[in-house]
Amino acid sequence: MLTVMKFGGSSVADLEHIRNVAKRCIEKQQAGSQVVVVLSAMGKTTDNLIATAKQITEQPSRRELDMLLSTGEQVSVSLMAMTLIQMGVSAVSLNAWQVPMQTTSTYQNARFKRIDSERIRKELDANKIVVVTGFQGINKYEDITTLGRGGSDTTAVALAAELHADVCEIYTDVDGVYTADPRIVPDAQKMEEITYDEMLEMASLGAKVLHSRCVEIAKKYGVELLVCSSLNRNSGTIVRENTKMEKMLISGVAADKNVAKIRVAGLGNDPDSTFRLLNLLDKNNLNIDVMIQSLGKDGTKSVSFTVAKPDLLRALDLLNDNKDYLGIKKLDSDEKVAKVSVIGAGIRSHSGVAAKMFGALASIGVNTEMVTTSEIRITVLIDEEYTDLAMRKLHETFIN
Amino acid sequence: MLTVMKFGGSSVADLEHIRNVAKRCIEKQQAGSQVVVVLSAMGKTTDNLIATAKQITEQPSRRELDMLLSTGEQVSVSLMAMTLIQMGVSAVSLNAWQVPMQTTSTYQNARFKRIDSERIRKELDANKIVVVTGFQGINKYEDITTLGRGGSDTTAVALAAELHADVCEIYTDVDGVYTADPRIVPDAQKMEEITYDEMLEMASLGAKVLHSRCVEIAKKYGVELLVCSSLNRNSGTIVRENTKMEKMLISGVAADKNVAKIRVAGLGNDPDSTFRLLNLLDKNNLNIDVMIQSLGKDGTKSVSFTVAKPDLLRALDLLNDNKDYLGIKKLDSDEKVAKVSVIGAGIRSHSGVAAKMFGALASIGVNTEMVTTSEIRITVLIDEEYTDLAMRKLHETFIN
C-alpha cells in the first residue's frame, strides 16, 4: 500500500498546523501504508515572495522568480521532516532536483516531462516518510521552474502516477466536492464519488477544489483521488474513472463569472471568414469558449464568443487592429455575463436535460443568451446579475 | 580580469541594500572585469530559521536543518539577480547544486571537495554577472549541506581559487583589518596589507573579520583577498603571501576571552602520562590550546592547558571520569582568563619581542600565567579583567 498525501498552504500555515499534518501522516503509516507527502509553501509565503519581487520590478525575471518562489516549499518540507523525526518516525525531505522532477522549460507555468522515482523508492524502502516539495521542478538547463496555479496538486498526482500509488489524497479546507458552491447554494451536498470527466468539467467551470491539470493527469494514469479536509475526519469525495453508485442524472451545478462576451458582426458569408477570425485569436493565445454563429437578414455573418475576463481588452485591441482583414463591420462586448452549467455523466444517456434546464431558468425569468454542450455538460451564458439565483434554481431542479 | 565579490547578510539586509550592492557589481563589470558575486542570507534570516527549527525541537535533524537554512541564500541571490536585470545588465543566480559545489557529508560543518566551474564559466562568457549562494554545498548523497560559521567567505575564496580569479573581495561592515579591535584600542590603525599567516593568527585569535578556513584556502591556492567595507569606498586591506611594504615588527594585537584554563596535578612523572591525557582529550574532540607542563617538588607532574569556554564542563566531566586512568590527584579550572597575542611576520627575524611584551605587561601590573609562541605570534594567558588594558598597552608598545 502506498499513499500520496497532499496538503496546501493553509494546512501548513504554522508549526501547530504542521504538527497536526505530521500526526495524520504518521497514522497513515501506522495503518500499514508507505507515505509520500507533498506540501505547498506555508500560508501566504508565495504571495509574500511575489510581493517582494514586485517591489524590485513589476516584471521580475521569470527564471529568477521561480528561483525565489521555490524556497517556500523547501522551508515547509524541511520543517515537516524535522517535526516527523522529532515525533519519532524516520522522514526525509526532498525538493524537485533531488527527486528529480523534470519539467518543460517554461518558467511559472512548467509541465512535468519525467519524474525519476528511484530516490523516493529508496527512502520509502528505508521505512521513511518522504516529504516532497510541491509546485516545482527543474528544466533541461538545470534551472528551477514552477508549475503555476494548482501546481502542488499536480505534483501529488504526478508522483502518485509515477509511483503507482493506491490513492492520492488531496487535503484542503473543504471536506470534498459539492454539488454546487455551498456559499451560494445552501442545499448543496457533498458527493461521495465523481468521475474524472465530471470533475474536469466542474474544475474548468469555476469549482476551485481541484485544478484541471491535476485531474487530467489523474485520468490519464488512472490515479484514484480522494478530496478531503485537513481540518476534520469527514469521508471526502473520491474521484475515479467509474463511480460504483448508480449514476445521478446531474452531479453538479457550477458557475463562472470570469468571462466576457464579444460579438463581431458584418462578416462576409463565406466559410473562410470564421476561420480567419478563429485562427487570429488562436495565434494570439486567446482561448475562446462558448461560441455561436448566425446569419443576418442582410446576408452578413455574426459571431459571438466568450473569453476570460482578463483577456477582454487584449482581444478587442486585436480585433480592432484587424478590422479590415477580418471584414468586421461592428464590434461590441459585454462584461456583465456569467456561465452557468449543469454537469453529469447522465447527460450522455438522458435526453431532455437541456429542455428542463431552459424551462427552469425561464420559470424565474432568466434569459439564456448562448448555449454550449459537451457529452456531460450543458452551459448557458446569462446576465451576471442572476448567477446565484440561477444556480439555486438549477440545483433545486436537478439535485434536490 | 575576473573578480569574486562577497557580501555578508548585513550588506543585503533589505531591497535598498541589495540595490546598492548591485550598483557596485555593475561598476566592477563596467570597469572591465567579469564578476561573480557570492551572497549570504539577508540580515538575520539564518538566525530566524534556526529559531523556528528550535521551536520544533532543541536538536533538529542536522540534514533537515541544512535543507531549511539553504533557502536563505537562495532568496538573496534570486532577488539580487532580479535587481541586476532590472538595472539593465544580464545576470543569473545559481545555488550550490546548480554550480555544483560538492562538499563532505557532514551537515552544518561541511568542507568543499570539488567545485565544477563549467556552468559559471558559461554564464560569464555570456556576459552575465553570476550570483552564487554562499554557505552551502551538496554532498555525495545529493543532500544539501552548509559550511558553518564564516561559510560564505569560504565559498567566495573557493570559487576564486577554482576560477583563478584575480582577486576575491570580501565586503563587510568594517573597512579592513585593524592592528587591534578599534572598540578596545582607539588608536588601532587599518593595515594596507597583511600576509596570510598573520591573518590566520589574527583570525584564530578572535579578530572576527575573516574566518580561518577562508584564509587557509586563500593561502593554499594563492588567492589574493581584499577586505573592505560595503558602506564606503575606503581602500581596505589586502591579504596575500608577501606584503610589498617593509615588514612591521608587529602587525597586530588580538585578544580572545572565549577561553578557560584547566590544571591537572599529581600525574606520574613518566612520558606516558601526558600522552594519555592529550590522547583522551583529542579522541573526545576537545581542542586544547596553550599548554604548559611542570614538575613539582614531590616528583609529580602538573599540566595546565586552555580549552574553549563552552567546552569547559564537558572537559571537566571527562577528566573526572578518567581520574584513575590518568592518575590525576588534583583538578581545578579557571574561567576568568583571556588570551592576549601580538602577531607579526617580524617575530621570525627579531629576537627580544617576548621580553619586550612581558616588560610592557609587567609595567601595568598584569601577570602572565602561561605563554605559547608560534613563528609569528606570542600569546600570553592573563586575568580576564585586564584584557582591554593589556591590549592598549601592547598596541602602544609595538605599533603606535
Side-chain angles (χ1 to χ4, degrees), chain A residues 112-168:
Chain A
F112 283 120
K113 285 179 73 176
R114 207 175 61 82
I115 292 177
D116 187 338
S117 61
E118 194 185 327
R119 171 89 192 247
I120 292 180
R121 288 225 174 267
K122 205 189 77 187
E123 304 288 3
L124 287 173
D125 289 346
N127 210 25
K128 290 182 189 167
I129 293 180
V130 182
V131 191
V132 181
T133 51
F135 182 61
Q136 61 194 259
I138 54 168
N139 67 18
K140 63 181 173 186
Y141 306 114
E142 299 212 311
D143 286 341
I144 295 172
T145 54
T146 64
L147 305 176
R149 253 194 72 218
S152 292
D153 290 349
T154 306
T155 303
V157 175
L159 279 175
E162 178 64 36
L163 293 162
H164 306 289
D166 297 274
V167 60
C168 178

Side-chain angles (χ1 to χ4, degrees), chain B residues 267 269 294-302:
Chain B
L267 300 184
N269 185 19
S294 61
L295 204 60
K297 282 176 193 157
D298 60 354
T300 64
K301 210 161 53 177
S302 288

Side-chain angles (χ1 to χ4, degrees), chain A residues 15 55-57 63-64 67-68 70 74 78 81-82 86 92-93 97-98 119 141-144, chain B residues 15 55 57 63-65 67-68 70 74 78 81-83 86 92-93 97-98 119 141-144:
Chain A
L15 294 182
Q55 282 178 49
I56 296 173
T57 163
R63 183 220 182 253
E64 297 301 333
M67 182 85 166
L68 179 68
S70 67
Q74 191 165 322
S78 55
M82 278 179 209
Q86 190 269 329
V92 65
S93 68
W97 71 266
Q98 288 172 319
R119 171 89 192 247
Y141 306 114
E142 299 212 311
D143 286 341
I144 295 172
Chain B
L15 294 182
Q55 283 178 50
T57 162
R63 186 227 180 245
E64 298 301 333
L65 188 57
M67 182 85 165
L68 179 68
S70 67
Q74 191 166 321
S78 55
M82 278 179 209
T83 304
Q86 189 269 328
V92 65
S93 68
W97 70 266
Q98 288 173 317
R119 171 90 192 247
Y141 307 113
E142 300 213 309
D143 285 342
I144 294 172

Side-chain angles (χ1 to χ4, degrees), chain A residues 64-358:
Chain A
E64 297 301 333
L65 188 57
D66 282 356
M67 182 85 166
L68 179 68
L69 296 184
S70 67
T71 60
E73 291 78 28
Q74 191 165 322
V75 168
S76 51
V77 297
S78 55
L79 292 176
M80 179 64 71
M82 278 179 209
T83 304
L84 287 163
I85 292 167
Q86 190 269 329
M87 288 176 169
V89 303
S90 292
V92 65
S93 68
L94 297 176
N95 62 23
W97 71 266
Q98 288 172 319
V99 171
M101 299 187 275
Q102 299 277 353
T103 69
T104 55
S105 305
T106 328
Y107 302 105
Q108 256 107 95
N109 198 23
R111 300 197 156 203
F112 283 120
K113 285 179 73 176
R114 207 175 61 82
I115 292 177
D116 187 338
S117 61
E118 194 185 327
R119 171 89 192 247
I120 292 180
R121 288 225 174 267
K122 205 189 77 187
E123 304 288 3
L124 287 173
D125 289 346
N127 210 25
K128 290 182 189 167
I129 293 180
V130 182
V131 191
V132 181
T133 51
F135 182 61
Q136 61 194 259
I138 54 168
N139 67 18
K140 63 181 173 186
Y141 306 114
E142 299 212 311
D143 286 341
I144 295 172
T145 54
T146 64
L147 305 176
R149 253 194 72 218
S152 292
D153 290 349
T154 306
T155 303
V157 175
L159 279 175
E162 178 64 36
L163 293 162
H164 306 289
D166 297 274
V167 60
C168 178
E169 302 179 350
I170 308 283
Y171 290 81
T172 166
D173 47 7
V174 295
D175 57 2
V177 183
Y178 277 73
T179 50
D181 185 337
R183 286 166 303 184
I184 296 166
V185 182
D187 285 341
Q189 300 152 24
K190 192 178 71 190
M191 290 181 255
E192 281 186 45
E193 296 184 321
I194 183 173
T195 66
Y196 296 125
D197 286 337
E198 288 169 327
M199 190 66 234
L200 271 175
E201 296 283 10
M202 297 286 276
S204 67
L205 286 162
K208 304 225 165 49
V209 183
L210 287 178
H211 201 244
S212 304
R213 177 92 192 115
C214 142
V215 185
E216 281 164 18
I217 298 179
K219 176 177 158 72
K220 182 169 174 188
Y221 295 99
V223 175
E224 185 170 307
L225 299 176
L226 173 66
V227 179
C228 53
S229 169
S230 62
L231 307 171
N232 62 43
R233 303 285 175 150
N234 297 348
S235 57
T237 300
I238 294 170
V239 189
R240 54 162 68 116
E241 187 61 46
N242 292 302
T243 53
K244 288 173 194 149
M245 321 172 67
E246 196 182 345
K247 278 190 181 62
M248 285 204 296
L249 179 61
I250 298 297
S251 56
V253 174
D256 184 2
K257 295 181 181 179
N258 183 30
V259 70
K261 187 178 73 167
I262 294 176
R263 191 173 71 100
V264 298
L267 300 184
N269 185 19
D270 55 293
D272 212 36
S273 63
T274 312
F275 169 74
R276 280 200 303 269
L277 173 68
L278 299 182
N279 194 39
L280 182 73
L281 293 167
D282 184 52
K283 276 191 173 159
N284 286 277
N285 290 313
L286 286 160
N287 294 319
I288 71 165
D289 193 1
V290 189
M291 187 190 104
I292 56 167
Q293 184 176 308
S294 60
L295 203 59
K297 284 177 195 157
D298 60 354
T300 64
K301 206 160 56 175
S302 288
V303 178
S304 295
F305 56 89
T306 59
V307 295
K309 218 169 247 174
D311 287 340
L312 178 60
L313 282 181
R314 197 159 64 87
L316 290 177
D317 283 348
L318 180 72
L319 294 171
N320 268 316
D321 291 348
N322 292 278
K323 246 181 168 164
D324 294 341
Y325 166 67
L326 297 170
I328 298 176
K329 300 253 164 14
K330 206 178 155 205
L331 177 63
D332 51 45
S333 66
D334 186 357
E335 279 193 279
K336 301 239 168 282
V337 292
K339 287 191 296 185
V340 172
S341 307
V342 295
I343 297 139
I347 293 177
R348 270 197 198 100
S349 45
H350 292 70
S351 58
V353 173
K356 201 168 167 192
M357 185 175 181
F358 296 137

